[in-house]
Amino acid sequence: MGTTTVAHHDEHHDHPTGMMRWLTTTNHKDIGTMYLTFALIMFMVGGALIMAVRAELFQPGLQLMKPEFFNQLIGVHALIMIFMALMPAATGFANWMLPLQIGAPDMALPRLNNWGFWLLPPAAILLTLPYILALFGIGDGALATGWTFYAPLSVQGGIGVDFAIFAVHLLGISSVMGSINVIVTIFNMRAPGMTMMKLPMFAWGWLITAFLLIATIPVLAGAVTMLLTDRHFGTHFFDAAGGGDPILFQHLFWFFGHPEVYILLLPVWGFMPQILQTFARKPMYGYKAQVYSLWAIGTLSVVVWAHHFFTVGMPVPALLYFMYSTMAISLPLAVLFYCWIATIWKGSMSFETPMLFAVGWIILFGIGGLTGLVLADVAADAQYHHTYFVVAHFHYTLFAGGIMGIMAGVYFWLPKMTGHMYNEKLGKLHFWLTAISFNLTFIPQFFLGLAGMPRRIPDYALQFAEFNMISSIAAFVLGLSQLLFVYNIVTCARGGKKATDKVWEGADGLEWTLPSPPPYHSFTEQPVIK
Amino acid sequence: MVLFNRRVITNMDKQPDEARRNRSVKLALFFGAIAVLWYVVSMIVVWIQ
């Protein structure tokens, strides 16, 4: 990949400083930084909520909270982690890196970009405000239905449901605006010579994510709008007593909810091969195979939704269809795994923190994928549905596959973003503490699920006590070890050893041709890809 | 109404030509319209059900 002159150009004109800079900025790097900072803050908030849950589950019986409050913690934890930590983190990377990687001066729609971000803080306030209102005797706390809003519980729930519905609308608008921006940027702002099949893999991952968001978020928004009318305007869309159908809500929710899993993972699948090739010092293996596999997975993800509620009662042909179509996803996913492993196979590997996270991610996300196959089996799912097996499975996919992937990306690009190297020893310590405590938290939960412990309960039978105790202790180590991550990022942003332009010996791509940190206006002349 | 001070829009003057900018807006409107239509259609489908 060759470029014309990529000179340093750091004129700041007369744009405002301080708070006004961040409120009004349309610069993709500023907005990317805001997304990533917001995601990190909300990751810690969501983590704190689940620490309280694990404290309650440390031993049988009710020690710390009422069951209603327990339910609120679980639902809000999930919504925060999905919509306010993982998605904004991926969008932050998109903002920071897509224009640099495709040689664009900025995102295609900078004002929309600013607006998309600033919808997030109000949504976060809406989601968590009911906790505070309840302290003053207003309402009965936050959403207590779990993140799935299942009717009829959500039709009957307190004001927390209304707040969550409005929050989800704002988050959805923000996501759709971000998606439109990504699609338009990739379609319309590529540097001359950068054909679609020369796109960096991260851009492919995000392009498919953006299409999935536009295809599914409106359906979720429609479903929760109708839920709102059921609650306050006398309709009965999901109310069986009035002729409605609660199961229909599950179909609508999971039409969004299953692709959402891939929305969270596809950006990571995009940049992870770039990390692997950098630290294996080898070209990426199977570029085209990976692109086609990403498309195949994206397409399949919108036709498999009902495997989330096999046990609700469906005709056998429907069960078989959703089982086989779900299992079919494992084929393109296996291609991706093959390509990732082939990329590092016989490479000249070094294990800096991003590579540690990347290799750990392949293994742990692999466990998430394989246990998903178990749950895709209708007969097995009848046993495992709504147990801790499911909880362990989706944390292997979304924590190991999603958040640990994001962490790999943070360590990979942080020197480029800040111009400083992070503390490598601290980064490695963070990896090992995270990987070990993560496994100690969730492996016991597989066994709890196999033994029949249901999810979303604050109390449990004595036979589950030991595994829960191990899981809780490990969860606290996992939570506390993330403070190292925050500390490392903050100290790196404030100073430290100067990063070179290329940062990593094996780095390849346009972003590494720019200085670290890149100037406010990235390219003085548009690069040309040869 | 001018939502943002023109001077604040840091990269606008560095963006490519006018035609490309117009194409960006058209593409954005197209995908935005799809999202809004899909939102309305999904509710109508549920209503008919």
Side-chain angles (χ1 to χ4, degrees):
Chain A
M1 198 176 281
T3 68
T4 56
T5 314
V6 183
H8 192 105
H9 177 79
D10 205 8
E11 294 162 23
H12 281 242
H13 302 296
D14 51 353
H15 60 259
T17 54
M19 194 58 202
M20 281 309 285
R21 168 184 171 182
W22 299 104
L23 276 174
T24 59
T25 183
T26 49
N27 183 286
H28 71 101
K29 300 183 205 79
D30 281 353
I31 295 174
T33 302
M34 291 197 294
Y35 266 110
L36 289 167
T37 308
F38 178 81
L40 184 62
I41 293 168
M42 295 314 290
F43 172 58
M44 299 310 283
V45 172
L49 298 183
I50 212 64
M51 290 297 99
V53 166
R54 281 315 319 174
E56 175 58 51
L57 292 171
F58 181 70
Q59 56 186 22
L62 294 177
Q63 287 86 32
L64 302 172
M65 60 189 77
K66 292 178 180 173
E68 296 81 9
F69 188 67
F70 181 92
N71 287 342
Q72 293 171 23
L73 290 177
I74 285 186
V76 177
H77 159 76
L79 283 172
I80 285 178
M81 287 304 198
I82 291 168
F83 284 102
M84 298 178 194
L86 262 173
M87 286 173 77
T91 314
F93 282 147
N95 265 288
W96 247 102
M97 291 301 156
L98 277 183
L100 302 187
Q101 289 192 335
I102 66 171
D106 202 311
M107 296 295 277
L109 306 148
R111 293 182 183 90
L112 196 76
N113 210 8
N114 175 292
W115 192 17
F117 171 76
W118 282 109
L119 285 176
L120 291 182
I125 292 167
L126 274 176
L127 196 62
T128 49
L129 189 62
Y131 284 126
I132 297 158
L133 291 178
L135 294 177
F136 296 99
I138 303 168
D140 49 4
L143 170 90
T145 63
W147 83 291
T148 52
F149 290 90
Y150 273 1
L153 187 59
S154 54
V155 178
Q156 299 154 358
I159 60 164
V161 179
D162 297 317
F163 277 79
I165 287 173
F166 285 118
V168 165
H169 277 101
L170 287 183
L171 294 164
I173 293 168
S174 168
S175 295
V176 169
M177 291 198 303
S179 303
I180 290 171
N181 216 346
V182 166
I183 293 172
V184 176
T185 302
I186 292 174
F187 278 0
N188 202 32
M189 303 287 283
R190 299 191 311 279
M194 181 168 280
T195 58
M196 289 300 277
M197 289 314 277
K198 283 185 183 171
L199 273 182
M201 194 59 73
F202 179 55
W204 272 118
W206 241 111
L207 184 65
I208 300 163
T209 298
F211 278 121
L212 284 179
L213 276 165
I214 289 176
T216 61
I217 285 274
V219 177
L220 172 72
V224 293
T225 302
M226 298 179 112
L227 186 61
L228 193 71
T229 63
D230 269 11
R231 285 172 57 81
H232 297 293
F233 300 103
T235 60
H236 300 281
F237 294 114
F238 309 121
D239 179 10
D245 184 359
I247 306 304
L248 180 59
F249 183 85
Q250 298 189 21
H251 281 280
L252 293 170
F253 180 85
W254 287 110
F255 180 80
F256 150 80
H258 191 73
E260 173 68 11
V261 175
Y262 298 95
I263 286 164
L264 299 171
L265 296 178
L266 278 162
V268 177
W269 296 350
F271 65 70
M272 203 54 86
Q274 296 175 207
I275 296 178
L276 293 170
Q277 72 169 11
T278 298
F279 294 98
R281 295 166 179 80
K282 271 178 65 192
M284 187 184 299
Y285 183 89
Y287 174 90
K288 282 185 181 175
Q290 290 191 54
V291 171
Y292 298 144
S293 296
L294 293 178
W295 274 111
I297 292 170
T299 309
L300 282 170
S301 75
V302 288
V303 295
V304 299
W305 70 89
H307 66 228
H308 288 271
F309 48 97
F310 276 147
T311 56
V312 82
M314 273 183 272
V316 170
L319 291 174
L320 290 174
Y321 161 73
F322 283 110
M323 176 172 75
Y324 289 129
S325 58
T326 303
M327 289 179 170
I329 293 182
S330 62
L331 300 175
L333 191 53
V335 172
L336 288 180
F337 270 94
Y338 179 82
C339 290
W340 298 332
I341 293 167
T343 296
I344 57 175
W345 186 256
K346 292 188 176 176
S348 179
M349 283 192 279
S350 58
F351 289 91
E352 288 87 345
T353 308
M355 186 61 161
L356 279 179
F357 270 97
V359 173
W361 170 85
I362 293 178
I363 297 164
L364 298 177
F365 175 55
I367 296 173
L370 289 173
T371 50
L373 267 180
V374 175
L375 289 168
D377 185 301
V378 173
D381 187 69
Q383 170 74 17
Y384 305 141
H385 181 77
H386 207 70
T387 69
Y388 261 83
F389 190 91
V390 180
V391 176
H393 154 69
F394 70 70
H395 280 91
Y396 269 86
T397 53
L398 293 184
F399 186 92
I403 288 176
M404 284 180 73
I406 293 288
M407 286 169 179
V410 168
Y411 285 114
F412 185 53
W413 280 319
L414 196 60
K416 172 55 65 183
M417 293 173 179
T418 62
H420 305 290
M421 294 306 292
Y422 58 85
N423 184 327
E424 188 65 48
K425 277 185 185 169
L426 215 54
K428 286 179 176 168
L429 179 65
H430 172 229
F431 167 75
W432 286 111
L433 280 173
T434 300
I436 293 168
S437 59
F438 168 77
N439 280 299
L440 285 174
T441 303
F442 291 103
I443 287 174
Q445 294 186 13
F446 278 125
F447 291 107
L448 287 169
L450 290 172
M453 178 171 163
R455 57 191 288 209
R456 291 177 176 152
I457 53 157
D459 191 9
Y460 50 83
L462 279 176
Q463 71 191 77
F464 304 129
E466 287 81 6
F467 276 139
N468 268 295
M469 191 176 284
I470 295 167
S471 185
S472 286
I473 293 168
F476 271 91
V477 176
L478 180 59
L480 290 173
S481 63
Q482 303 319 309
L483 295 176
L484 294 177
F485 183 50
V486 177
Y487 176 78
N488 215 350
I489 292 173
V490 172
T491 50
C492 179
R494 294 177 67 156
K497 188 183 156 197
K498 185 87 181 78
T500 60
D501 294 356
K502 202 177 176 189
V503 183
W504 312 109
E505 186 193 355
D508 183 34
L510 278 181
E511 75 266 39
W512 307 105
T513 63
L514 290 165
S516 300
Y520 202 68
H521 301 304
S522 310
F523 301 100
T524 45
E525 286 177 41
Q526 193 165 36
V528 177
I529 312 303
K530 292 168 185 165
Chain B
M1 188 186 85
V2 179
L3 194 58
F4 296 104
N5 186 329
R6 184 67 177 81
R7 284 171 301 168
V8 175
I9 297 164
T10 50
N11 269 0
M12 292 301 278
D13 54 342
K14 302 226 165 286
Q15 282 203 357
D17 55 77
E18 192 71 27
R20 185 177 286 215
R21 224 179 297 172
N22 288 340
R23 199 158 64 230
S24 287
V25 173
K26 281 179 190 165
L27 272 169
L29 288 174
F30 173 72
F31 285 109
I34 286 180
V36 173
L37 261 178
W38 193 211
Y39 171 65
V40 175
V41 166
S42 67
M43 286 196 288
I44 290 172
V45 169
V46 174
W47 195 305
I48 293 167
Q49 287 262 330

